[in-house]
Amino acid sequence: MTEFSQLGLSPTTLKAVAETGYTTATPIQEQAIPVALAGRDVLGIAQTGTGKTAAFTLPLVERLATGRARARMPRAIVLAPTRELADQVAESFAKYAKGTKLSWVLLIGGVSMGDQVAALNKGVDVLIATPGRLLDLFERGKMLLTGVEIMVVDEADRMLDMGFIPDIERIFKLTPPRRQTLFFSATMPPEITRLTTAFLKDPTRIEVSRPAQTADTITQYLVRIPTSDPKAKRTALRALVERADVKNGIVFCNRKSEVDIVAKSLQKHGFDAAPIHGDLDQAHRMKTLADFRAGNLKILVASDVAARGLDIPDVSHVFNYDVSHHADDYVHRIGRTGRAGRLGQAFMIVTPSDDKSLDKVLKLIKKDPEELVLDGIDFAAIKDGPRRDDKRSGGRERSGERGRGRSRSSGDSAAPAVEQAEVAVATEVQDAEAPRSRSRRKTRPEARAEVETPVVAAAAVETPASVEAPRAPRADREPQLLQSDRRGDRKAARDDNPRQGVRGFGDDIPAFLRRPVVVRA
């Protein structure tokens, strides 16, 4: 192991590093820092949790220590895929640049753009940004990229997963060709290889471990359950959390909607849990992460927005509530634990529908996790109950499928007035013709006459003599029915006059209901 003092860093930077508590460089730092200090392009490949952030932040501080920033012309850009990761890079830069006069600004969405523009106008040395917000401010004419000396891309493979590659290519083309590029990624899919070939000049490739290799400090477990029912999965998760000695843990879900459901389930059963995903307000996300880092929150339920690159120290457990769709994501998820030589445990809940995803994960990591059996749980007896807003469907929709049923629940809460009138009239006809079948009533002319005639009468309860004639004031119409409505005694009104109990469109009767209907005998 090499100490930082042997890497060519200045005394000011070494002092800042010592204040953070680090004395020995990790393999990626040991190999990348000297090359970056020499001004050469770097292509760094290392698994998550190996110190990639310091591997590019320290050379950035050293090379920018001399020089001066100009208004709206940053000297360096650091691109990160998520707001949380960008904020983490900003924190690291603030620590390592403590003894210098370097300035920086964090450009992420969800926060005030005015403050960011004001900082750019003063002149900053380093932009730490997500691709979308950087391009947004550039298109508004708030910055120029012609003075960029160093370009850093962090977690490039995550950029690919999130669809940022076209934005990255555009930003590269906006910067001067004679720049230094530091490119870091945990894996190297073909699209990332094409990007490095196009924009890096004779880079030094540094690969400290096999791509997608899990750390040896992580003990991996697999828990199979015989059903895919969401309630059974939540029961299994709670059993695992209770069984393990969890100091602090992260629960990963594939969908944002599932994150909220799982977090509420844990809270309901007395666990200290909170959700974090991309749809939450940025201030709320930052506060949740801060509470988790400080130890004020025990369980963080997250989507993959928290899986890549976040430096959350000393996480004891990781729970995969869902098997990740992409095998690489599994590696990054469990990489939140077992960091910096510490021991960690990772659990993965597997249902019968996860066989294909599980097979991809096992082929990638080339390991067989130890299988655990949850005794004392009768999974066959666990059924997810009907949703509160899905009574009409008989509980067919599970709590894990809320996305499809949410919009219908509000629109189906009140049936159209025409359907209400027809249902009420059909009920009257059915009572009068109980011995007959429904199909015969529809085909016989006399049955059609009996059905059609009451519809006209029901529509005519509030119909004036002419369509154009003004309607009578509301107080003069149906006084008994309105009084019954105020008392909440609609049933009594229907008993006295069944047709008067039919409530259609209220004051607004469509013109098609005012038309006379010819009844054929």
Side-chain angles (χ1 to χ4, degrees):
M1 301 295 287
T2 303
E3 294 185 358
F4 283 103
S5 58
Q6 301 174 356
L7 300 180
L9 299 173
S10 66
T12 302
T13 305
L14 289 175
K15 180 180 178 181
V17 172
E19 290 178 354
T20 62
Y22 297 112
T23 57
T24 305
T26 63
I28 186 66
Q29 295 166 357
E30 177 184 350
Q31 299 182 50
I33 290 177
V35 177
L37 289 176
R40 298 188 57 185
D41 287 2
V42 173
L43 173 58
I45 306 172
Q47 65 191 56
T48 184
T50 56
K52 292 194 296 291
T53 302
F56 64 77
T57 304
L58 291 174
L60 199 64
V61 172
E62 286 289 309
R63 289 182 56 79
L64 296 177
T66 58
R68 182 179 179 183
R70 289 176 289 179
R72 298 192 300 171
M73 293 185 65
R75 301 168 60 198
I77 296 176
V78 179
L79 294 177
T82 64
R83 302 172 185 176
E84 286 77 15
L85 184 54
D87 182 67
Q88 176 182 298
V89 173
E91 291 179 358
S92 297
F93 188 84
K95 293 178 182 177
Y96 298 136
K98 187 175 182 181
T100 68
K101 296 182 179 180
L102 295 176
S103 59
W104 55 271
V105 62
L106 179 63
L107 302 184
I108 59 175
V111 297
S112 172
M113 186 179 291
D115 296 339
Q116 298 172 355
V117 172
L120 289 171
N121 290 336
K122 294 179 181 179
V124 294
D125 295 290
V126 181
L127 291 184
I128 304 170
T130 53
R133 177 53 67 96
L134 188 147
L135 287 175
D136 190 5
L137 288 171
F138 176 82
E139 292 171 353
R140 294 169 184 259
K142 304 301 182 182
M143 75 176 77
L144 298 173
L145 301 181
T146 54
V148 174
E149 304 171 16
I150 305 175
M151 179 87 165
V152 180
V153 179
D154 192 18
E155 297 288 348
D157 50 348
R158 184 59 174 167
M159 298 275 197
L160 175 63
D161 295 340
M162 300 178 69
F164 285 145
I165 295 302
D167 292 341
I168 300 299
E169 291 178 339
R170 184 183 175 192
I171 294 172
F172 267 119
K173 294 176 181 178
L174 293 173
T175 57
R178 298 184 62 183
R179 65 178 181 277
Q180 179 186 12
T181 304
L182 309 179
F183 201 94
F184 290 87
S185 180
T187 59
M188 288 296 294
E191 186 67 16
I192 298 300
T193 302
R194 182 193 66 80
L195 192 65
T196 58
T197 303
F199 295 106
L200 273 68
K201 302 183 297 292
D202 190 24
T204 300
R205 183 184 177 103
I206 301 172
E207 187 171 355
V208 300
S209 62
R210 178 177 61 86
Q213 179 182 356
T214 58
D216 295 333
T217 56
I218 305 173
T219 305
Q220 303 176 53
Y221 298 97
L222 186 149
V223 180
R224 296 183 184 272
I225 61 175
T227 175
S228 299
D229 189 276
K231 188 174 182 179
K233 291 181 67 175
R234 295 193 293 269
T235 302
L237 174 63
R238 293 194 301 270
L240 286 175
V241 174
E242 291 176 349
R243 177 174 177 172
D245 183 16
V246 179
K247 175 184 176 182
N248 55 354
I250 305 178
V251 178
F252 284 106
C253 304
N254 288 342
R255 296 182 298 176
K256 299 175 185 177
S257 59
E258 202 72 38
V259 170
D260 290 326
I261 296 172
V262 172
K264 290 179 181 178
S265 174
L266 290 172
Q267 293 170 359
K268 181 180 178 181
H269 289 80
F271 294 95
D272 182 20
I276 180 172
H277 54 74
D279 287 347
L280 295 175
D281 179 76
Q282 181 63 23
H284 179 75
R285 289 161 61 179
M286 301 305 294
K287 183 180 183 303
T288 301
L289 277 177
D291 289 342
F292 188 72
R293 285 193 178 105
N296 299 326
L297 178 66
K298 186 174 182 179
I299 299 176
L300 185 69
V301 186
S303 60
D304 283 314
V305 70
R308 295 292 187 105
L310 290 184
D311 185 16
I312 304 175
D314 202 17
V315 176
S316 63
H317 293 76
V318 168
F319 301 90
N320 286 277
Y321 177 81
D322 295 315
V323 180
S324 54
H325 296 312
H326 302 284
D328 289 341
D329 287 337
Y330 172 79
V331 178
H332 296 288
R333 287 179 177 184
I334 69 171
R336 300 307 99 210
T337 186
R339 300 169 71 88
R342 301 183 180 94
L343 299 179
Q345 293 182 339
F347 298 85
M348 179 167 50
I349 300 175
V350 180
T351 68
S353 60
D354 295 327
D355 289 341
K356 290 184 179 180
S357 298
L358 176 63
D359 185 59
K360 294 178 182 178
V361 170
L362 297 181
K363 287 181 179 179
L364 180 67
I365 64 175
K366 293 181 172 59
K367 291 182 180 180
D368 293 323
E370 179 183 347
E371 292 202 19
L372 295 180
V373 179
L374 297 177
D375 298 326
I377 301 178
D378 185 6
F379 288 104
I382 298 176
K383 297 294 182 182
D384 208 356
R387 290 176 50 197
R388 183 178 302 176
D389 58 348
D390 196 38
K391 296 179 180 179
R392 297 180 60 183
S393 64
R396 289 190 300 271
E397 186 178 3
R398 300 299 183 190
S399 60
E401 302 173 337
R402 295 192 174 188
R404 291 183 294 174
R406 191 172 292 167
S407 61
R408 293 186 58 189
S409 63
S410 59
D412 291 348
S413 59
V418 177
E419 295 181 4
Q420 292 183 9
E422 291 178 351
V423 170
V425 173
T427 302
E428 295 177 8
V429 175
Q430 184 177 6
D431 293 340
E433 300 184 4
R436 301 183 182 182
S437 66
R438 187 178 183 85
S439 59
R440 290 185 59 194
R441 291 202 309 273
K442 290 183 178 180
T443 56
R444 296 188 59 168
E446 60 272 19
R448 290 199 302 271
E450 293 179 17
V451 173
E452 293 171 353
T453 303
V455 172
V456 176
V461 172
E462 298 179 4
T463 304
S466 174
V467 174
E468 292 79 8
R471 294 193 298 269
R474 184 176 179 87
D476 297 334
R477 293 180 289 112
E478 299 182 348
Q480 180 181 357
L481 181 59
L482 292 176
Q483 186 177 5
S484 299
D485 285 350
R486 286 193 297 269
R487 294 197 308 263
D489 192 9
R490 295 190 180 95
K491 184 177 184 303
R494 289 197 297 269
D495 292 341
D496 296 337
N497 188 344
R499 293 173 184 169
Q500 207 173 26
V502 176
R503 298 309 305 273
F505 289 84
D507 294 340
D508 300 323
I509 300 178
F512 74 90
L513 287 181
R514 303 175 187 274
R515 297 176 183 174
V517 178
V518 179
V519 180
R520 295 182 178 86

